[in-house]
Amino acid sequence: MPRNQFQRMIFALITVIITVHGYVFYSLYVINGATLMEVNGADSVLHAISA
């Protein structure tokens, strides 16, 4: 665990970055994946995001 102020700030920043990326990927792939594929006519979510 972080021992000083600098380490706590870095730990918090990394935690926020991981959380935000997790939410965005979950939102794109799990919740909106089928809609993205349907709208773009793609066969996978990755191709739909690229399109």
Side-chain angles (χ1 to χ4, degrees), residues 1 4-7 11-12 15-19 21 23 26-27 30 32-34 36 38 41 44-47 50:
M1 289 302 296
N4 57 34
Q5 183 67 28
F6 178 73
Q7 289 178 348
F11 184 80
T15 302
V16 168
I17 290 172
I18 290 171
T19 304
H21 279 85
Y23 175 77
Y26 177 76
S27 175
V30 177
N32 296 321
L36 283 171
E38 183 179 325
S44 73
V45 178
L46 188 59
H47 289 132
S50 297

